[in-house]
Amino acid sequence: MSKKIKLIWDFRGPMAAKTAEHHEKHLKEYIQIEQLPINITGFTIINDMHATAFMVVEEVNMIAVRDALRPHRGELYEIN
């Protein structure tokens, strides 16, 4: 079973939540265009000045996606 990596983009400032929500739409478009095998995306509002957008990719696709989209950070993705 292949590892899954959660790629994360951080947004800060008064428009962080709206920016993260909008960024998720572009991540979904990228997944569709590139025909990636996983379609897990989302956004999280940390507080009124910090939000994140994320997408999950297979480990084998991580380098290509990272180089194309330049996330701020990544972590192992585990389903609870």
Coordinates of all heavy atoms in Angstrom, one line a residue:
M1 N 0.9 -1.2 0.0 CA 0.0 0.0 0.0 C 0.9 1.2 0.0 O 1.8 1.4 0.8 CB -0.9 0.0 1.2 CG -1.9 1.1 1.2 SD -3.1 0.6 2.5 CE -4.1 2.0 2.5
S2 N 0.6 2.1 -0.9 CA 1.4 3.3 -1.1 C 1.1 4.4 0.0 O 0.0 4.5 0.4 CB 1.2 3.9 -2.5 OG 1.9 5.1 -2.7
K3 N 2.2 5.1 0.4 CA 2.0 6.2 1.4 C 1.3 7.3 0.7 O 1.4 7.6 -0.5 CB 3.3 6.7 1.9 CG 4.0 5.7 2.8 CD 5.3 6.3 3.4 CE 6.0 5.3 4.2 NZ 7.3 5.8 4.6
K4 N 0.5 8.0 1.5 CA -0.2 9.2 1.0 C 0.4 10.5 1.7 O 0.7 10.4 2.9 CB -1.7 9.1 1.2 CG -2.3 8.0 0.4 CD -3.7 7.8 0.8 CE -4.4 6.6 0.0 NZ -3.6 5.4 -0.2
I5 N 0.6 11.5 0.9 CA 1.2 12.7 1.4 C 0.2 13.9 1.3 O -0.4 14.1 0.3 CB 2.5 13.1 0.6 CG1 3.4 11.9 0.5 CG2 3.2 14.3 1.2 CD1 4.0 11.4 1.8
K6 N 0.0 14.6 2.4 CA -0.8 15.8 2.4 C 0.0 17.0 2.2 O 0.9 17.3 3.0 CB -1.5 15.9 3.8 CG -2.5 17.0 3.9 CD -3.1 16.9 5.3 CE -4.2 18.0 5.5 NZ -4.8 17.9 6.9
L7 N -0.2 17.7 1.0 CA 0.5 18.9 0.7 C -0.3 20.1 1.2 O -1.5 20.1 1.0 CB 0.8 19.0 -0.8 CG 1.6 17.8 -1.4 CD1 1.6 17.9 -2.9 CD2 2.9 17.7 -0.8
I8 N 0.3 21.0 1.8 CA -0.4 22.1 2.5 C 0.1 23.5 2.1 O 1.3 23.7 2.0 CB -0.2 22.0 4.1 CG1 -0.7 20.6 4.5 CG2 -0.9 23.1 4.8 CD1 -0.3 20.2 5.9
W9 N -0.8 24.4 1.9 CA -0.6 25.8 1.6 C -1.1 26.6 2.7 O -2.3 26.5 3.0 CB -1.2 26.2 0.2 CG -0.6 25.6 -1.0 CD1 0.3 26.1 -1.8 CD2 -0.8 24.2 -1.5 NE1 0.7 25.2 -2.8 CE2 0.0 24.1 -2.6 CE3 -1.6 23.2 -1.1 CZ2 0.0 22.9 -3.3 CZ3 -1.6 22.0 -1.8 CH2 -0.8 21.9 -2.9
D10 N -0.3 27.5 3.3 CA -0.8 28.4 4.3 C -1.1 29.8 3.8 O -0.4 30.3 2.9 CB 0.4 28.6 5.4 CG 0.7 27.3 6.1 OD1 -0.2 27.0 7.0 OD2 1.7 26.7 5.9
F11 N -2.2 30.3 4.3 CA -2.6 31.7 3.9 C -2.8 32.5 5.2 O -3.4 31.9 6.2 CB -3.9 31.6 3.1 CG -3.7 30.8 1.8 CD1 -4.1 29.5 1.7 CD2 -3.1 31.4 0.7 CE1 -3.9 28.8 0.6 CE2 -2.9 30.7 -0.4 CZ -3.3 29.4 -0.5
R12 N -2.3 33.7 5.2 CA -2.4 34.5 6.4 C -3.0 35.9 6.1 O -2.9 36.3 4.9 CB -1.1 34.7 7.1 CG -0.5 33.3 7.5 CD 0.8 33.5 8.3 NE 1.4 32.2 8.5 CZ 1.1 31.4 9.5 NH1 0.2 31.7 10.4 NH2 1.7 30.2 9.7
G13 N -3.7 36.5 7.0 CA -4.2 37.8 6.9 C -5.7 37.7 6.9 O -6.3 36.7 7.1
P14 N -6.4 38.9 6.8 CA -7.8 39.0 7.0 C -8.6 38.2 5.9 O -9.8 37.8 6.1 CB -8.1 40.5 7.0 CG -6.9 41.1 6.4 CD -5.8 40.2 6.7
M15 N -8.0 38.0 4.8 CA -8.7 37.2 3.7 C -8.2 35.8 3.6 O -8.5 35.1 2.6 CB -8.4 37.9 2.4 CG -9.0 39.3 2.3 SD -10.8 39.3 2.4 CE -11.3 38.4 0.9
A16 N -7.5 35.3 4.6 CA -7.0 33.9 4.6 C -8.0 32.9 4.3 O -7.8 32.0 3.5 CB -6.2 33.6 5.9
A17 N -9.1 32.9 5.0 CA -10.2 31.9 4.8 C -10.7 31.8 3.4 O -10.8 30.8 2.7 CB -11.3 32.1 5.8
K18 N -11.0 33.0 2.8 CA -11.5 33.0 1.4 C -10.5 32.6 0.4 O -10.8 31.9 -0.5 CB -12.0 34.5 1.1 CG -13.3 34.8 1.8 CD -14.4 34.1 1.2 CE -15.7 34.6 1.8 NZ -16.9 33.8 1.3
T19 N -9.2 33.0 0.7 CA -8.1 32.6 -0.2 C -7.9 31.1 -0.2 O -7.8 30.5 -1.3 CB -6.8 33.4 0.2 OG1 -7.1 34.8 0.2 CG2 -5.7 33.0 -0.8
A20 N -7.9 30.5 1.0 CA -7.7 29.1 1.1 C -8.9 28.3 0.4 O -8.7 27.3 -0.3 CB -7.6 28.6 2.5
E21 N -10.1 28.8 0.6 CA -11.3 28.2 0.0 C -11.2 28.3 -1.5 O -11.4 27.3 -2.3 CB -12.6 28.9 0.5 CG -13.8 28.3 -0.1 CD -15.1 29.0 0.4 OE1 -15.0 30.1 1.1 OE2 -16.2 28.5 0.1
H22 N -10.7 29.4 -2.1 CA -10.6 29.6 -3.5 C -9.4 28.7 -4.0 O -9.5 28.1 -5.1 CB -10.3 31.1 -3.8 CG -10.2 31.3 -5.3 ND1 -11.3 31.3 -6.1 CD2 -9.1 31.5 -6.0 CE1 -10.8 31.6 -7.4 NE2 -9.5 31.7 -7.3
H23 N -8.4 28.6 -3.3 CA -7.2 27.8 -3.7 C -7.6 26.3 -3.9 O -7.1 25.7 -4.8 CB -6.1 28.0 -2.7 CG -4.8 27.4 -3.2 ND1 -4.0 28.0 -4.2 CD2 -4.1 26.3 -2.8 CE1 -2.9 27.3 -4.4 NE2 -3.0 26.2 -3.6
E24 N -8.5 25.9 -3.0 CA -8.9 24.5 -3.1 C -9.6 24.2 -4.4 O -9.4 23.2 -5.0 CB -9.9 24.1 -2.0 CG -10.3 22.7 -2.1 CD -11.5 22.3 -1.2 OE1 -12.2 23.2 -0.7 OE2 -11.8 21.1 -1.1
K25 N -10.3 25.2 -5.0 CA -10.9 25.0 -6.3 C -9.9 24.8 -7.4 O -10.0 23.9 -8.2 CB -11.8 26.2 -6.6 CG -13.0 26.4 -5.8 CD -13.7 27.7 -6.1 CE -14.8 27.9 -5.1 NZ -15.6 29.1 -5.3
H26 N -8.7 25.5 -7.3 CA -7.7 25.3 -8.2 C -7.0 24.0 -8.1 O -6.6 23.3 -9.0 CB -6.6 26.4 -8.1 CG -7.2 27.7 -8.6 ND1 -7.5 28.0 -9.9 CD2 -7.5 28.9 -7.9 CE1 -8.0 29.2 -10.0 NE2 -8.0 29.8 -8.8
L27 N -6.9 23.5 -6.8 CA -6.3 22.2 -6.6 C -7.2 21.1 -7.2 O -6.7 20.1 -7.8 CB -6.1 21.9 -5.1 CG -5.1 22.8 -4.4 CD1 -5.2 22.6 -2.9 CD2 -3.7 22.7 -4.9
K28 N -8.5 21.2 -7.1 CA -9.4 20.2 -7.7 C -9.3 20.3 -9.2 O -9.3 19.2 -9.8 CB -10.9 20.6 -7.3 CG -11.2 20.2 -5.9 CD -12.6 20.5 -5.5 CE -12.9 20.1 -4.1 NZ -14.3 20.3 -3.7
E29 N -9.1 21.4 -9.8 CA -8.9 21.6 -11.2 C -7.6 20.8 -11.7 O -7.6 20.1 -12.7 CB -8.9 23.0 -11.7 CG -10.2 23.7 -11.6 CD -10.1 25.2 -11.8 OE1 -8.9 25.8 -11.9 OE2 -11.1 25.9 -11.8
Y30 N -6.6 21.0 -10.9 CA -5.3 20.4 -11.2 C -5.4 18.9 -11.2 O -4.9 18.2 -12.0 CB -4.2 20.9 -10.2 CG -2.9 20.3 -10.5 CD1 -2.0 20.9 -11.4 CD2 -2.4 19.2 -9.8 CE1 -0.8 20.3 -11.7 CE2 -1.2 18.7 -10.0 CZ -0.4 19.2 -11.0 OH 0.9 18.7 -11.2
I31 N -6.1 18.4 -10.1 CA -6.3 16.9 -10.0 C -7.0 16.4 -11.3 O -6.6 15.4 -11.8 CB -7.0 16.6 -8.7 CG1 -6.1 16.8 -7.5 CG2 -7.6 15.2 -8.8 CD1 -6.9 16.8 -6.2
Q32 N -8.0 17.1 -11.7 CA -8.8 16.7 -12.9 C -7.9 16.7 -14.1 O -7.9 15.8 -14.9 CB -10.0 17.5 -13.0 CG -11.0 17.0 -14.1 CD -12.3 17.8 -14.1 OE1 -12.3 19.0 -13.6 NE2 -13.3 17.2 -14.6
I33 N -7.2 17.8 -14.3 CA -6.4 18.0 -15.5 C -5.3 16.9 -15.6 O -5.1 16.3 -16.6 CB -5.8 19.4 -15.6 CG1 -6.9 20.4 -15.8 CG2 -4.7 19.5 -16.6 CD1 -6.5 21.9 -15.6
E34 N -4.6 16.7 -14.5 CA -3.5 15.7 -14.4 C -4.0 14.3 -14.2 O -3.2 13.4 -14.2 CB -2.6 16.1 -13.3 CG -1.9 17.5 -13.5 CD -1.0 17.5 -14.8 OE1 -0.3 16.5 -15.0 OE2 -1.0 18.5 -15.5
Q35 N -5.3 14.1 -14.0 CA -5.9 12.8 -13.8 C -5.2 12.0 -12.7 O -4.8 10.8 -12.9 CB -5.9 12.0 -15.1 CG -6.7 12.7 -16.2 CD -6.7 11.9 -17.5 OE1 -5.9 11.0 -17.7 NE2 -7.5 12.3 -18.4
L36 N -5.0 12.7 -11.6 CA -4.4 12.0 -10.4 C -5.3 11.0 -9.8 O -6.5 11.2 -9.8 CB -4.0 13.1 -9.4 CG -2.9 14.1 -9.8 CD1 -2.6 15.1 -8.8 CD2 -1.6 13.4 -10.2
P37 N -4.8 9.9 -9.2 CA -5.6 8.8 -8.7 C -6.4 9.2 -7.4 O -7.3 8.5 -7.1 CB -4.6 7.7 -8.5 CG -3.3 8.4 -8.2 CD -3.3 9.6 -9.1
I38 N -6.0 10.2 -6.7 CA -6.7 10.5 -5.4 C -7.3 11.9 -5.6 O -6.7 12.8 -6.2 CB -5.7 10.6 -4.3 CG1 -5.0 9.2 -4.0 CG2 -6.4 11.1 -3.0 CD1 -4.0 9.2 -2.9
N39 N -8.5 12.0 -5.1 CA -9.2 13.3 -5.2 C -9.6 13.8 -3.8 O -10.8 13.9 -3.5 CB -10.5 13.1 -6.1 CG -11.1 14.5 -6.4 OD1 -10.5 15.5 -6.2 ND2 -12.3 14.4 -6.9
I40 N -8.6 14.0 -3.0 CA -8.9 14.5 -1.6 C -8.3 15.9 -1.5 O -7.1 16.1 -1.6 CB -8.2 13.5 -0.5 CG1 -8.8 12.1 -0.7 CG2 -8.4 14.1 0.9 CD1 -8.1 11.1 0.2
T41 N -9.1 16.9 -1.2 CA -8.7 18.2 -1.0 C -9.5 18.8 0.1 O -10.5 18.2 0.5 CB -9.0 19.1 -2.3 OG1 -10.4 19.2 -2.6 CG2 -8.2 18.6 -3.5
G42 N -9.1 20.0 0.5 CA -9.9 20.7 1.5 C -9.3 22.0 2.0 O -8.2 22.3 1.4
F43 N -9.9 22.6 2.9 CA -9.4 23.8 3.5 C -9.8 23.9 4.9 O -10.8 23.3 5.3 CB -9.7 25.1 2.7 CG -11.2 25.5 2.8 CD1 -11.6 26.5 3.8 CD2 -12.1 25.0 2.0 CE1 -12.9 26.8 3.9 CE2 -13.5 25.3 2.1 CZ -13.8 26.3 3.1
T44 N -8.9 24.4 5.7 CA -9.1 24.5 7.2 C -8.9 25.9 7.7 O -7.9 26.5 7.3 CB -8.2 23.6 7.9 OG1 -8.3 22.3 7.4 CG2 -8.4 23.5 9.4
I45 N -9.8 26.4 8.4 CA -9.7 27.8 9.0 C -9.1 27.6 10.4 O -9.7 27.0 11.3 CB -11.0 28.5 9.1 CG1 -11.6 28.7 7.6 CG2 -10.8 29.9 9.8 CD1 -13.0 29.2 7.6
I46 N -7.9 28.0 10.6 CA -7.2 27.9 11.9 C -7.7 29.0 12.9 O -8.0 28.7 14.0 CB -5.6 28.0 11.7 CG1 -5.1 27.1 10.6 CG2 -4.9 27.8 13.0 CD1 -5.2 25.7 10.8
N47 N -7.7 30.2 12.4 CA -8.3 31.3 13.2 C -8.6 32.4 12.2 O -8.5 32.2 10.9 CB -7.3 31.8 14.3 CG -6.0 32.3 13.8 OD1 -5.9 33.0 12.8 ND2 -4.9 31.8 14.5
D48 N -9.0 33.6 12.6 CA -9.4 34.6 11.7 C -8.3 35.2 10.8 O -8.5 36.0 9.9 CB -10.2 35.8 12.4 CG -9.3 36.5 13.5 OD1 -8.2 35.9 13.9 OD2 -9.7 37.6 13.9
M49 N -7.0 34.9 11.1 CA -5.9 35.4 10.3 C -5.0 34.3 9.7 O -4.0 34.5 9.2 CB -5.0 36.3 11.2 CG -5.7 37.5 11.7 SD -6.1 38.7 10.4 CE -4.5 39.4 10.3
H50 N -5.5 33.0 9.8 CA -4.7 31.9 9.3 C -5.6 30.8 8.8 O -6.5 30.3 9.5 CB -3.7 31.4 10.3 CG -2.8 30.3 9.9 ND1 -2.2 29.4 10.8 CD2 -2.4 29.9 8.6 CE1 -1.5 28.5 10.1 NE2 -1.6 28.8 8.8
A51 N -5.4 30.3 7.6 CA -6.2 29.2 7.0 C -5.2 28.4 6.1 O -4.2 28.9 5.6 CB -7.3 29.7 6.2
T52 N -5.6 27.2 5.8 CA -4.8 26.3 5.0 C -5.7 25.7 3.9 O -6.8 25.5 4.1 CB -4.1 25.2 5.8 OG1 -5.0 24.4 6.3 CG2 -3.1 25.8 6.8
A53 N -5.0 25.4 2.8 CA -5.7 24.5 1.7 C -4.8 23.3 1.6 O -3.5 23.4 1.8 CB -5.8 25.3 0.4
F54 N -5.3 22.2 1.3 CA -4.5 21.0 1.1 C -5.0 20.1 0.0 O -6.2 20.1 -0.4 CB -4.4 20.2 2.5 CG -5.7 19.6 2.9 CD1 -6.1 18.3 2.5 CD2 -6.6 20.3 3.7 CE1 -7.3 17.8 2.9 CE2 -7.8 19.8 4.1 CZ -8.2 18.5 3.7
M55 N -4.1 19.2 -0.4 CA -4.5 18.1 -1.3 C -3.6 16.9 -0.9 O -2.5 17.1 -0.4 CB -4.3 18.5 -2.8 CG -2.9 18.5 -3.2 SD -2.6 19.0 -5.0 CE -3.3 17.7 -5.8
V56 N -4.2 15.7 -1.1 CA -3.5 14.5 -0.8 C -3.1 13.8 -2.1 O -3.9 13.7 -3.0 CB -4.4 13.6 0.0 CG1 -3.7 12.2 0.3 CG2 -4.8 14.3 1.3
V57 N -1.8 13.4 -2.1 CA -1.3 12.7 -3.3 C -0.6 11.4 -2.9 O -0.2 11.2 -1.8 CB -0.3 13.6 -4.1 CG1 -1.0 14.8 -4.6 CG2 0.9 13.9 -3.2
E58 N -0.5 10.5 -3.9 CA 0.3 9.3 -3.6 C 1.7 9.7 -3.6 O 2.2 10.6 -4.2 CB 0.0 8.3 -4.8 CG -1.4 7.8 -4.9 CD -1.7 6.6 -4.0 OE1 -0.7 6.1 -3.3 OE2 -2.8 6.2 -3.9
E59 N 2.5 8.9 -2.8 CA 3.9 9.2 -2.7 C 4.6 9.2 -4.0 O 5.5 10.1 -4.2 CB 4.6 8.2 -1.7 CG 6.0 8.5 -1.4 CD 6.6 7.5 -0.4 OE1 6.2 6.3 -0.5 OE2 7.5 7.9 0.3
V60 N 4.3 8.4 -4.9 CA 4.9 8.3 -6.2 C 4.7 9.6 -7.1 O 5.5 9.9 -7.9 CB 4.5 7.1 -7.1 CG1 4.9 5.8 -6.4 CG2 3.0 7.1 -7.3
N61 N 3.6 10.3 -6.8 CA 3.3 11.5 -7.5 C 3.7 12.8 -6.8 O 3.7 13.9 -7.3 CB 1.8 11.6 -7.7 CG 1.2 10.5 -8.6 OD1 1.8 10.1 -9.5 ND2 0.1 10.0 -8.2
M62 N 4.2 12.6 -5.6 CA 4.5 13.8 -4.7 C 5.5 14.8 -5.3 O 5.3 16.0 -5.3 CB 5.0 13.3 -3.3 CG 5.1 14.5 -2.3 SD 6.6 15.4 -2.3 CE 7.8 14.2 -1.9
I63 N 6.6 14.3 -5.9 CA 7.7 15.1 -6.4 C 7.2 16.0 -7.5 O 7.4 17.2 -7.6 CB 8.9 14.3 -6.8 CG1 9.5 13.5 -5.6 CG2 10.0 15.2 -7.5 CD1 10.2 14.3 -4.6
A64 N 6.5 15.4 -8.5 CA 6.0 16.1 -9.6 C 5.0 17.2 -9.2 O 5.0 18.3 -9.7 CB 5.3 15.1 -10.6
V65 N 4.1 16.8 -8.3 CA 3.0 17.8 -7.8 C 3.7 18.9 -7.0 O 3.4 20.1 -7.2 CB 1.9 17.1 -7.0 CG1 1.0 18.1 -6.4 CG2 1.2 16.1 -7.9
R66 N 4.6 18.5 -6.2 CA 5.4 19.5 -5.4 C 6.1 20.5 -6.3 O 6.0 21.7 -6.0 CB 6.4 18.8 -4.5 CG 7.2 19.8 -3.6 CD 8.5 19.2 -3.1 NE 9.4 19.0 -4.2 CZ 10.5 18.3 -4.1 NH1 10.8 17.6 -3.0 NH2 11.3 18.1 -5.2
D67 N 6.8 20.0 -7.3 CA 7.5 20.9 -8.2 C 6.6 21.8 -9.0 O 6.9 23.0 -9.3 CB 8.4 20.1 -9.1 CG 9.6 19.5 -8.3 OD1 9.8 19.8 -7.1 OD2 10.3 18.6 -8.9
A68 N 5.4 21.3 -9.3 CA 4.5 22.1 -10.1 C 3.7 23.1 -9.3 O 3.5 24.2 -9.7 CB 3.5 21.2 -10.8
L69 N 3.3 22.7 -8.1 CA 2.4 23.6 -7.3 C 3.1 24.3 -6.1 O 2.5 25.2 -5.5 CB 1.2 22.8 -6.8 CG 0.4 22.1 -7.9 CD1 -0.8 21.4 -7.3 CD2 -0.1 23.2 -8.9
R70 N 4.3 23.9 -5.7 CA 5.1 24.5 -4.7 C 4.3 24.7 -3.4 O 4.1 25.9 -2.9 CB 5.6 25.8 -5.2 CG 6.5 25.5 -6.5 CD 7.2 26.6 -6.9 NE 8.0 27.1 -5.8 CZ 9.1 27.8 -6.0 NH1 9.5 28.1 -7.2 NH2 9.8 28.2 -5.0
P71 N 3.9 23.6 -2.7 CA 3.2 23.8 -1.4 C 4.2 24.3 -0.4 O 5.4 24.2 -0.6 CB 2.8 22.4 -1.1 CG 3.7 21.5 -1.8 CD 4.0 22.2 -3.1
H72 N 3.7 24.9 0.7 CA 4.5 25.4 1.8 C 5.1 24.3 2.6 O 6.2 24.4 3.2 CB 3.7 26.4 2.6 CG 3.3 27.5 1.9 ND1 2.0 28.0 1.8 CD2 4.0 28.4 1.1 CE1 1.9 29.0 1.1 NE2 3.1 29.3 0.6
R73 N 4.4 23.2 2.8 CA 4.8 22.1 3.6 C 4.0 20.8 3.3 O 3.1 20.9 2.5 CB 4.7 22.4 5.1 CG 3.3 22.8 5.5 CD 3.4 23.5 6.9 NE 2.1 24.1 7.2 CZ 1.2 23.6 8.0 NH1 1.4 22.4 8.6 NH2 0.1 24.2 8.2
G74 N 4.4 19.7 3.8 CA 3.7 18.4 3.6 C 3.9 17.6 4.9 O 4.7 17.8 5.7
E75 N 3.0 16.6 4.9 CA 3.0 15.6 6.1 C 2.4 14.3 5.6 O 1.7 14.3 4.6 CB 2.3 16.2 7.3 CG 0.8 16.5 7.0 CD 0.1 17.2 8.2 OE1 0.8 18.1 8.8 OE2 -1.0 16.9 8.5
L76 N 2.7 13.2 6.3 CA 2.0 12.0 6.0 C 0.5 12.1 6.2 O 0.1 12.7 7.2 CB 2.6 10.9 6.9 CG 3.9 10.3 6.5 CD1 4.4 9.3 7.5 CD2 3.9 9.7 5.1
Y77 N -0.3 11.5 5.4 CA -1.7 11.6 5.5 C -2.2 10.2 6.0 O -1.9 9.2 5.4 CB -2.4 11.9 4.2 CG -3.9 11.9 4.2 CD1 -4.5 12.9 4.7 CD2 -4.6 10.8 3.6 CE1 -5.9 13.0 4.7 CE2 -6.0 10.8 3.7 CZ -6.6 11.9 4.2 OH -8.0 11.9 4.2
E78 N -2.9 10.3 7.1 CA -3.4 9.0 7.7 C -4.9 9.2 7.9 O -5.3 10.2 8.5 CB -2.7 8.7 9.0 CG -1.2 8.5 8.9 CD -0.5 8.1 10.2 OE1 -1.2 7.6 11.1 OE2 0.7 8.4 10.3
I79 N -5.6 8.2 7.5 CA -7.1 8.2 7.7 C -7.4 7.7 9.2 O -6.9 6.7 9.6 CB -7.8 7.3 6.7 CG1 -7.5 7.8 5.3 CG2 -9.3 7.3 7.0 CD1 -8.0 6.9 4.2
N80 N -8.1 8.5 9.9 CA -8.4 8.1 11.3 C -9.6 7.2 11.4 O -10.5 7.3 10.8 CB -8.7 9.4 12.1 CG -7.4 10.2 12.2 OD1 -6.3 9.7 12.1 ND2 -7.5 11.5 12.5

